[in-house]
Structure formats: C-alpha cells, structure tokens
Amino acid sequence: MSKQGNEAIKMMFRDWKRLPRAFRNVVEGQPQVLLTRPGRSYFVPVEFVG
C-alpha cells in the first residue's frame, strides 16, 4: 500500500482553527487535518491559503 506523494489539503487558517480538536493536529510545526476514507482515517498536511 503506497501513500500518495505529498498530498496536502489546502484550506484557510481560520477554517482549520474552527475544526474540533479531534480533527486537527500539529506535528513538528506542521498543521494536519484528519481525512476519513472508507476503512481508514489518517492525518494529511495542511497548506494554508488566502
């Protein structure tokens, strides 16, 4: 099972801050958001726009 290379979610910082704590995370200064796919959930990096 290979992870897709460097997939980042683009979103506004204020929208990210509005997410419940369980759905957002920061790892080594890199903000992340929880993605849910059938059968699995995982955090992906967030790229802030706007």
Side-chain angles (χ1 to χ4, degrees):
M1 187 155 137
S2 66
K3 176 123 175 68
Q4 286 121 357
N6 221 355
E7 100 178 80
I9 299 295
K10 291 181 169 63
M11 65 190 305
M12 304 278 272
F13 179 73
R14 67 172 179 263
D15 293 338
W16 181 78
K17 286 299 279 186
R18 233 181 252 144
L19 289 171
R21 200 65 191 108
F23 294 97
R24 57 187 169 94
N25 195 16
V26 178
V27 177
E28 294 174 4
Q30 170 66 62
Q32 300 187 333
V33 68
L34 185 67
L35 277 193
T36 303
R37 295 287 181 259
R40 64 192 180 119
S41 297
Y42 54 96
F43 283 97
V44 294
V46 173
E47 183 183 324
F48 293 129
V49 295

